[in-house]
Amino acid sequence: MKVKNLKTLHMTNPLGIDVNPYFSWMIESPEQNVMQTAYQIVVKHECGTAVWDTGIIQSDASSFIEYAGDPLVSRSRYEWTVKVWDNKGNAESASAGFETALLVKSDWKAKWAESALPSAERKVGFGNQPPATMFRKGFLLKGKVLNARLYATCHGIYRLTVNGERPDAREFAPENTVYEKYLCYQTYDVTAMLRQGENALGMYVGDGWYCGANTKPPIEDFKQLHAILFQLEVEYADGSTDTILSDEDVKTAYGPVLFSDIYNGEKYDANLEVEGWNKPGFDDTKWAKADIAGYGYQNLVAQLGQPVRPIITLAPTKIYTSPKGEKIVDFGQVIAGRIRMHVQAPKGTEVTLDLFEAPDKEGNYFNNVTLLDFSGKLGDQKDVYISSGDECDFEPMFTFHGFRYARITGVENLETKDFAAVVLSSEKDNAGTFESSNAMLNRLYENTRWSQRSNMLSIPTDCPQREKAGWTGDIEIYAPTALLNEDVTPFLSRWLTNLSCEQGENGAVPMIVPYVGVYPALGKSMDAACGNAEIQDICGIAGWSDAAVLVPYAMYQITGNEAILRQQYESMKRWCEYIIHTAKTQRGKNKNVPEEIDQYLWNTGFHFGEWLVPSRVKTGNSDMQKMIASALQESEYIAPIFGWQTISDMSEIACVLGKPEDEKYYAEIAAKMKDAIHKGVMDKDGKMPVDMMGAYVLPIYFDLVPEQLKQHFADRLVKMIEDNGGCLDTGFLATPYILDALSKINRRDIAYKLLYQDKCPSWLYEVKQGATTIWESWFAFAPDGTPLTMSLNHYAFGCVDDWMFRTITGINKTMPGFKHIEIKPEPDSSLSYAKRTFTSEYGDIVSNWERKNGGFILKVVVPCNTTATVIMPNGEKYEVGSGTYSYACSL
Ligand code: BGC
């Protein structure tokens, strides 16, 4: 038996943490039926003192074991060793480490150094920003360095260099967060980068989210100025120490980045490069001194979760000339990232890259990026490079785009070897694979994975080209799928803390987190555009704000993460109270519903409804009034049902955390809400307030249909799908459940038909149209290739992969974290094989089946420390422990 994959806070040996850690490990064994029987964790401070010894705990728990030892101290390395005993008489141990950052505010001595260079107010649009700022500080180190840590952050986004070198490949530090309350700082081990004598630290700061017109934080007296904070702590070989701080000795200057905007793009003039500016020996006497600003340290938080990095590089698949004569580079895949281009052009040559997701029908450049102000105007995704005459590899620094294609102007004779698309994403461990005999399904799966990569860049976003915003509803729908494909635990944990930061006094959660820039005003302009639709500050939205409860609960169910439930418990309670209070104090539109029922229906305020129900939004964003009108109608069933779902999940969460009073309280309210849905939303014949597919899907899926109406609901749903030509007609909030609802009414055959459907709207229609990601709207491309101005990269409808996981390869969790697994493939007859792997908390689960000579062969892998029930398509059942098994049956 081996103990492996030791993780602290779900990360490998994290450097610079400031929250109470939890520990996880996996065990691996060549034997079958291996269970952990006991564990012991010992945590030692770097000086050798044990700060926590659990003693031998008789338990099979191996994940999310929360530290409960002596208080941790700042800037210390800790080693933890876990010894594990199994039921086969083996005992093994393994060790890992973590390091704390600055745990108390008084650890900070550095001063905020702010640019005093002339700056301008940022406006939306390419070029409406000032240049990026180079900050530098030269310093002397008096001896050989034994150990050095740098803690750094900024207002903007920075690229760090120490003596001219980058310590790592991270991008966009300090991450996209609720800056006024939660500003990440990063910790770097820079020991090997320093030297005795002269050194230099450089931070090149671009606008990023903090200074961006679309994303600036709602801070009182907000100054859109680049500023940095760093603290370098050095330990010399002789035992003495030194601290180098950002302070009044920091110098600033503008350089080659003429302007940068995280949405619109960057302009770079290579003629303005300053040779050696971030290296020792550079004469910065002519540079401007930074101002010292009093921002303090209250909002500083050590970064949790891996940084954004380049994760894949793609070569162009072709370069072509469009009918309009444009030179277009095609990378073959829609991504989030940017282009690296090799340029050799005469001094002063201006090369422009206009990035876009798909060409028009004829193959010309096409812009699908609408601005967020309903003006109907289009936004840029553009980078410009001005050559110095020297050969160079240009890649913008402070922006990213959503694209597959780029129109290049300014240089001729483009060659594929000179271009690369650099895919950017928050780094995460892969957790899943899928393959089957159906190439279209395989591509659908790949499309889901690409949209996940593209929309997990610092925060979970809706799309990487238009809004880049932390839409709560999108991740609410998609979280279960995300968790099956990547280890998103640290990433979502950070975002959820930010969600708590954004919660209003009344518990309301906004529609996006961070709730920044243009969005607070958006509600008002939508209201004006749609004629008083009760849209105000767009907080407290059914299915969107419910992410406060539904995302942590999905995390718990898939990974067994109780720590996240504890972390978010107060926030979840406050959100539930918002729903309960709103339902109780505000009367719905239907005055025939008596008050004793109405008070349990969440049926007031603005909601997005299901959002993007195909039959209602064929023309996409261009018809906002129509979209909002539909949203308001759908809200009549969406809000009461999501209100009920959230409160009833909350009761289960309270049960998990051992809070029986809360459990009872929420269970009672949920029961009343369910009753109120029966009496105040459905009529006695089972008619829903709006006769839409989702209105039948949700009650079926959530077991909200009274016994006597079950047949009616089932019949109505089936009829609606038939009448719709065998296509779905559900939006964001009902699509995750439509295939399950069909399974529930014993019509898995129709579920498979929807999955295989390739007429619009359907998943495989997109694949047939050559999609390489999941689209925002099924109509993003007409069958003749005409594009709509809708995003081609929204993960929301990729949620179907969760159903594929649970049905095609039949991997189901019957206990949180897949501690007990049910493997029950329920394939349809057209597939001849399918294989899925999933790295659970305990190790890899595999379900791999094929049809052969009229039989069905299933191979499964069950990780150590779990048990499984394997059910074959003929109903044969096997109860097994860990190990690799193969079963066969005839069909
Ligand atoms: C976003 C979504 C979001 C929606 C809310 C759109 O503009 O791109 O994905 O959830 O608005 O209605």
Side-chain angles (χ1 to χ4, degrees):
M1 184 260 283
K2 268 202 212 106
V3 184
K4 57 167 203 173
N5 268 28
L6 272 62
K7 298 267 171 92
T8 307
L9 290 167
H10 252 232
M11 296 182 284
T12 308
N13 301 326
L15 188 69
I17 62 165
D18 69 354
V19 289
N20 197 48
Y22 49 72
F23 306 115
S24 319
W25 60 89
M26 291 177 189
I27 57 179
E28 195 178 70
S29 170
E31 292 186 73
Q32 284 189 339
N33 303 318
V34 175
M35 289 296 285
Q36 173 183 303
T37 53
Y39 73 84
Q40 177 175 21
I41 299 173
V42 177
V43 182
K44 284 189 179 157
H45 183 262
E46 59 187 38
C47 67
T49 321
V51 290
W52 193 38
D53 183 346
T54 59
I56 300 175
I57 311 256
Q58 304 295 328
S59 163
D60 61 0
S62 59
S63 209
F64 301 104
I65 313 288
E66 291 172 68
Y67 175 77
D70 296 348
L72 298 175
V73 292
S74 290
R75 39 170 103 73
S76 297
R77 256 215 92 64
Y78 291 88
E79 188 191 62
W80 64 277
T81 302
V82 61
K83 184 169 181 187
V84 170
W85 288 264
D86 73 10
N87 56 346
K88 306 282 167 169
N90 303 302
E92 280 300 324
S93 39
S95 300
F98 63 93
E99 187 177 304
T100 51
L102 304 178
L103 302 186
V104 286
K105 300 292 177 220
S106 57
D107 288 332
W108 281 98
K109 304 286 179 236
K111 296 176 185 167
W112 276 98
E114 186 162 79
S115 168
L117 299 168
S119 182
E121 200 203 325
R122 279 79 169 166
K123 295 204 191 84
V124 171
F126 187 75
N128 295 327
Q129 301 82 28
T133 309
M134 299 189 289
F135 291 82
R136 102 174 279 281
K137 179 169 172 171
F139 55 94
L140 282 174
L141 292 178
K142 57 179 189 272
K144 190 173 159 2
V145 176
L146 186 68
N147 205 7
R149 291 292 180 273
L150 175 70
Y151 307 96
T153 187
C154 80
H155 288 169
I157 45 177
Y158 70 85
R159 181 170 281 193
L160 170 74
T161 47
V162 177
N163 293 330
E165 300 291 326
R166 296 174 68 184
D168 59 25
R170 85 177 59 213
E171 298 288 348
F172 306 138
E175 307 284 343
N176 186 359
T177 55
V178 181
Y179 296 117
E180 61 276 33
K181 295 188 181 150
Y182 190 109
L183 172 62
C184 293
Y185 63 91
Q186 289 67 42
T187 305
Y188 302 89
D189 179 354
V190 292
T191 312
M193 308 180 80
L194 297 170
R195 56 190 203 185
Q196 184 167 356
E198 244 185 289
N199 291 269
L201 197 142
M203 286 171 81
Y204 202 0
V205 178
D207 278 5
W209 296 282
Y210 190 94
C211 295
N214 279 339
T215 46
K216 63 181 180 199
I219 294 175
E220 227 176 285
D221 300 327
F222 177 66
K223 288 206 268 172
Q224 269 176 324
L225 292 175
H226 299 146
I228 60 158
L229 181 78
F230 72 79
Q231 183 155 319
L232 171 62
E233 304 195 352
V234 176
E235 195 187 331
Y236 292 112
D238 66 4
S240 62
T241 59
D242 231 343
T243 312
I244 316 296
L245 306 171
S246 52
D247 56 14
E248 34 284 289
D249 293 337
V250 170
K251 295 293 198 60
T252 62
Y254 286 147
V257 177
L258 293 178
F259 51 80
S260 70
D261 180 76
I262 202 134
Y263 287 74
N264 299 130
E266 186 167 300
K267 185 166 185 177
Y268 186 96
D269 185 349
N271 298 289
L272 301 178
E273 282 171 4
V274 184
E275 181 62 31
W277 74 274
N278 51 6
K279 293 189 180 153
F282 178 79
D283 178 9
D284 62 15
T285 45
K286 295 217 177 68
W287 281 30
K289 258 178 175 283
D291 281 343
I292 298 306
Y295 295 120
Y297 315 118
Q298 273 322 310
N299 55 350
L300 297 183
V301 183
Q303 171 156 354
L304 177 81
Q306 292 89 339
V308 176
R309 283 177 196 269
I311 53 161
I312 299 171
T313 305
L314 300 172
T317 50
K318 70 170 184 216
I319 296 181
Y320 70 94
T321 305
S322 75
K324 286 188 182 163
E326 305 153 312
K327 295 266 185 299
I328 292 179
V329 185
D330 176 3
F331 292 95
Q333 173 63 53
V334 173
I335 64 161
R338 53 202 184 199
I339 292 176
R340 185 161 61 229
M341 176 183 61
H342 183 77
V343 198
Q344 191 172 17
K347 188 176 169 67
T349 308
E350 201 167 301
V351 189
T352 302
L353 298 83
D354 286 296
L355 294 86
F356 60 107
E357 291 194 317
D360 68 12
K361 203 166 91 186
E362 285 76 37
N364 301 303
Y365 167 80
F366 176 78
N367 186 347
N368 66 352
V369 181
T370 41
L371 289 183
L372 303 180
D373 59 2
F374 297 112
S375 60
K377 287 193 209 126
L378 297 175
D380 284 309
Q381 294 205 89
K382 186 197 286 290
D383 296 311
V384 177
Y385 175 80
I386 304 173
S387 173
S388 62
D390 293 340
E391 211 173 327
C392 149
D393 282 318
F394 165 65
E395 181 185 334
M397 267 186 241
F398 301 118
T399 191
F400 72 94
H401 305 290
F403 71 100
R404 166 175 163 174
Y405 300 84
R407 177 179 67 186
I408 313 289
T409 36
V411 276
E412 298 299 318
N413 305 326
L414 309 183
E415 289 188 58
T416 51
K417 70 170 175 35
D418 291 333
F419 293 90
V422 180
V423 179
L424 296 172
S425 185
S426 287
E427 194 187 6
K428 292 171 249 78
D429 286 344
N430 183 44
T433 63
F434 171 74
E435 202 199 309
S436 75
S437 55
N438 184 324
M440 301 269 278
L441 279 192
N442 298 347
R443 185 64 231 193
L444 172 64
Y445 175 73
E446 289 309 319
N447 293 358
T448 307
R449 298 297 309 263
W450 274 107
S451 283
Q452 179 162 336
R453 273 179 207 119
S454 314
N455 283 300
M456 293 207 164
L457 197 149
S458 197
I459 56 166
T461 61
D462 58 334
C463 54
Q465 77 302 85
R466 185 184 66 226
E467 294 183 50
K468 306 179 197 242
W471 281 95
T472 46
D474 302 48
I475 187 63
E476 188 275 297
I477 301 160
Y478 188 71
T481 309
L483 286 149
L484 298 176
N485 284 315
E486 284 186 297
D487 179 358
V488 289
T489 295
F491 175 82
L492 289 181
S493 303
R494 182 177 75 227
W495 182 75
L496 284 167
T497 307
N498 278 275
L499 180 145
S500 317
C501 290
E502 290 292 28
Q503 231 171 332
E505 294 273 300
N506 60 356
V509 172
M511 60 180 185
I512 63 155
V513 171
Y515 188 46
V516 288
V518 292
Y519 287 99
L522 188 71
K524 295 192 181 83
S525 47
M526 275 168 80
D527 211 25
C530 304
N532 193 14
E534 281 188 71
I535 314 169
Q536 273 154 29
D537 50 4
I538 320 205
C539 281
I541 312 281
W544 268 252
S545 308
D546 290 316
V549 171
L550 305 184
V551 172
Y553 199 37
M555 292 169 77
Y556 165 72
Q557 287 172 321
I558 291 171
T559 66
N561 185 350
E562 271 183 39
I564 195 69
L565 298 182
R566 258 188 285 283
Q567 174 190 305
Q568 293 303 114
Y569 197 68
E570 278 314 302
S571 154
M572 293 194 258
K573 272 182 88 162
R574 294 180 55 226
W575 170 239
C576 289
E577 283 317 306
Y578 174 88
I579 297 175
I580 295 167
H581 179 82
T582 313
K584 194 169 183 146
T585 54
Q586 298 179 16
R587 284 293 313 269
K589 283 195 199 91
N590 184 351
K591 300 294 175 232
N592 294 329
V593 180
E595 188 161 355
E596 64 271 22
I597 291 171
D598 192 75
Q599 63 171 318
Y600 292 105
L601 291 176
W602 186 23
N603 53 9
T604 52
F606 173 75
H607 305 280
F608 288 116
E610 282 192 46
W611 194 245
L612 295 184
V613 173
S615 59
R616 306 240 167 161
V617 295
K618 289 200 168 129
T619 45
N621 277 342
S622 57
D623 205 344
M624 186 54 74
Q625 261 141 316
K626 213 166 146 200
M627 285 166 93
I628 297 295
S630 184
L632 293 176
Q633 280 189 358
E634 295 149 29
S635 300
E636 289 187 43
Y637 55 90
I638 285 294
I641 293 177
F642 274 81
W644 165 84
Q645 191 204 349
T646 295
I647 305 299
S648 91
D649 279 2
M650 191 62 192
S651 170
E652 294 177 19
I653 291 167
C655 171
V656 173
L657 296 184
K659 298 177 186 292
E661 276 174 26
D662 286 358
E663 180 190 348
K664 185 161 169 269
Y665 167 70
Y666 292 116
E668 281 171 6
I669 295 180
K672 288 184 177 143
M673 287 178 143
K674 183 172 176 175
D675 185 55
I677 290 170
H678 292 163
K679 296 177 179 148
V681 179
M682 300 170 183
D683 79 2
K684 60 175 188 346
D685 304 321
K687 231 174 112 211
M688 291 299 281
V690 201
D691 200 32
M692 294 177 71
M693 226 180 253
Y696 295 89
V697 165
L698 293 169
I700 294 173
Y701 176 78
F702 288 119
D703 290 328
L704 288 170
V705 185
E707 203 47 49
Q708 72 280 13
L709 294 177
K710 282 195 167 151
Q711 195 56 47
H712 164 74
F713 266 72
D715 293 347
R716 187 74 199 118
L717 176 58
V718 171
K719 176 86 172 51
M720 287 178 115
I721 296 173
E722 275 168 10
D723 290 350
N724 199 40
C727 288
L728 53 70
D729 194 30
T730 45
F732 269 32
L733 293 188
T735 301
Y737 309 112
I738 186 168
L739 302 189
D740 281 301
L742 288 162
S743 298
K744 268 202 166 159
I745 58 169
N746 291 323
R747 296 307 305 266
R748 193 172 306 107
D749 57 324
I750 305 180
Y752 269 107
K753 271 191 195 137
L754 289 181
L755 180 68
Y756 292 138
Q757 178 60 269
D758 65 4
K759 268 190 317 203
C760 188
S762 71
W763 286 283
L764 295 192
Y765 168 73
E766 296 186 4
V767 174
K768 207 172 68 180
Q769 291 297 104
T772 60
T773 36
I774 303 290
W775 299 344
E776 175 180 25
S777 159
W778 312 100
F779 305 100
F781 261 101
D784 71 355
T786 308
L788 267 186
T789 48
M790 295 290 276
S791 149
L792 295 186
N793 204 355
H794 259 62
Y795 53 38
F797 289 130
C799 60
V800 67
D801 180 50
D802 172 35
W803 184 86
M804 287 163 54
F805 180 97
R806 289 180 288 106
T807 310
I808 298 178
T809 41
I811 307 175
N812 284 280
K813 50 187 180 315
T814 40
M815 278 170 73
F818 292 84
K819 185 81 174 130
H820 182 81
I821 312 152
E822 183 189 81
I823 301 182
K824 186 186 178 193
E826 292 172 314
D828 78 314
S829 56
S830 75
L831 285 178
S832 58
Y833 75 87
K835 177 178 179 181
R836 185 99 195 195
T837 65
F838 169 57
T839 308
S840 73
E841 284 304 298
Y842 303 95
D844 287 351
I845 301 171
V846 180
S847 167
N848 179 6
W849 61 258
E850 63 174 328
R851 291 176 204 276
K852 221 178 187 175
N853 309 328
F856 186 90
I857 301 163
L858 172 64
K859 294 189 181 121
V860 302
V861 177
V862 177
C864 288
N865 211 14
T866 67
T867 51
T869 306
V870 181
I871 304 172
M872 297 292 279
N874 68 352
E876 276 166 22
K877 210 176 191 180
Y878 306 90
E879 299 293 341
V880 294
S882 67
T884 301
Y885 306 91
S886 184
Y887 304 96
C889 72
S890 51
L891 276 183

